[in-house]
């Protein structure tokens, strides 16, 4: 399938590891020019070099903190200077720890909201004017199924993700007249370092060992296994493409059938 991404310019935040890295690899393999962004400059640069070798595409790195509005603006300017006008934004940077209400102080709430929710909002705000002017753009928000599956042990993650579900659909309505498509992807359990951290945190909260906590999480997945980053990346690349030109204002679960809600 030709996704018609050759020469498109994409920025992938949180692109040095896990799902973000897999998305960058998929886009580069499809011919897009990709800037990956993450806080750790050395790791991000190494990831970009490895992705160039893996895909043969053009992948650049830029260190940036999505909690800092000035850093977001600097990263997007760097992408434009190096690659040209930004066609695609994949918002992926940000995570929330496990924790109940009593175990989660205001500082954690503020960090989670500032990094993931406001990081996505600010990044979108930066790239949208030019996308709307050119009447072509794609914004894909990597969110998470906890936004519509509340859990007492994951209050911050669920609240931030629920806000992003709302933001994604509302922004899609705003941008649709200018042919800028906004979608969300909700990964379920996906085998990344982030997943391992969540399993360890869940085990600590429940008093289980990590293997038991991991088994319990897998038991909630209809397919009976954890997903792989590449299985998310394929859908993201499709949503960024011209083949998805009539898809906007929706959020797609990629979770092995683990989300059972209407």
């Amino acid at each position: 399938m030709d996704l018609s991404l050759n020469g498109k310019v994409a920025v992938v935040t949180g692109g040095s590891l896990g799902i973000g890295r897999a998305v960058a690899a998929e886009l580069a393999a499809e011919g897009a020019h990709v800037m990956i962004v993450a806080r750790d400059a050395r790791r991000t640069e190494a990831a970009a070099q490895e992705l160039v070798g893996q895909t043969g595409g053009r992948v650049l790195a830029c260190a940036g903190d999505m909690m800092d509005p000035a850093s977001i603006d600097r990263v997007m300017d760097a992408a434009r200077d190096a690659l040209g006008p930004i066609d695609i934004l994949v918002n992926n940077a940000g995570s929330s720890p496990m924790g109940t209400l009593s175990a989660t102080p205001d500082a954690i709430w503020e960090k989670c909201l500032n990094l993931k929710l406001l990081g996505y909002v600010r990044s979108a705000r930066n790239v949208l004017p030019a996308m709307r002017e050119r009447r072509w753009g794609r914004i894909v928000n990597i969110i998470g199924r906890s936004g519509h599956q509340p859990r007492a042990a994951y209050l911050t993650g669920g609240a931030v993700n629920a806000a992003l579900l709302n933001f994604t659909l509302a922004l899609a309505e705003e941008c649709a007249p200018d042919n800028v498509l906004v979608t969300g992807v909700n990964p379920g359990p996906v085998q990344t370092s982030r997943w391992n951290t969540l399993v360890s945190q869940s085990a600590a909260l429940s008093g289980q060992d990590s293997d038991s906590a991991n088994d319990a999480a897998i038991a909630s997945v209809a397919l009976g296994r954890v997903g792989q980053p590449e299985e998310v990346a394929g859908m993201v690349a499709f949503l960024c493409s011209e083949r998805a030109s009539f898809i906007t204002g929706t959020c797609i679960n990629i979770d092995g059938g683990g989300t059972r809600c209407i």
Side-chain angles (χ1 to χ4, degrees), residues 1-8 26-32 88 136 138 233-245:
M1 181 184 293
D2 181 8
L3 297 182
S4 300
L5 288 173
N6 193 51
K8 295 292 187 185
E26 192 82 25
L27 293 174
E30 291 290 338
I88 296 164
W136 202 99
R138 301 286 189 269
M235 175 57 72
V236 175
F238 175 76
L239 291 171
C240 291
S241 76
E242 196 59 38
R243 299 301 295 267
S245 58

Side-chain angles (χ1 to χ4, degrees), residues 69-138:
S71 183
I72 291 173
D73 291 341
R74 176 183 56 78
V75 161
M76 300 305 173
D77 285 343
R80 283 184 281 260
D81 290 344
L83 300 173
I86 298 169
D87 301 297
I88 296 164
L89 169 65
V90 180
N91 275 318
N92 176 68
S95 60
S96 301
M98 300 289 291
T100 59
L101 181 63
S102 60
T104 309
D106 283 0
I108 297 296
W109 281 95
E110 290 165 2
K111 180 179 179 180
C112 295
L113 290 164
N114 201 27
L115 174 57
K116 191 168 182 180
L117 176 59
L118 289 178
Y120 283 26
V121 169
R122 290 164 176 156
S123 296
R125 184 189 292 135
N126 182 289
V127 302
L128 268 173
M131 286 181 178
R132 298 180 79 169
E133 183 178 350
R134 295 196 311 275
R135 296 188 57 79
W136 202 99
R138 301 286 189 269

Side-chain angles (χ1 to χ4, degrees), residues 197-224:
T197 298
L198 285 174
V199 168
S200 296
Q201 292 173 349
S202 179
L205 283 169
S206 63
Q208 298 175 301
D209 58 66
S210 291
D211 287 342
S212 297
N214 191 61
D215 290 344
I218 292 174
S220 73
V221 179
L223 288 181

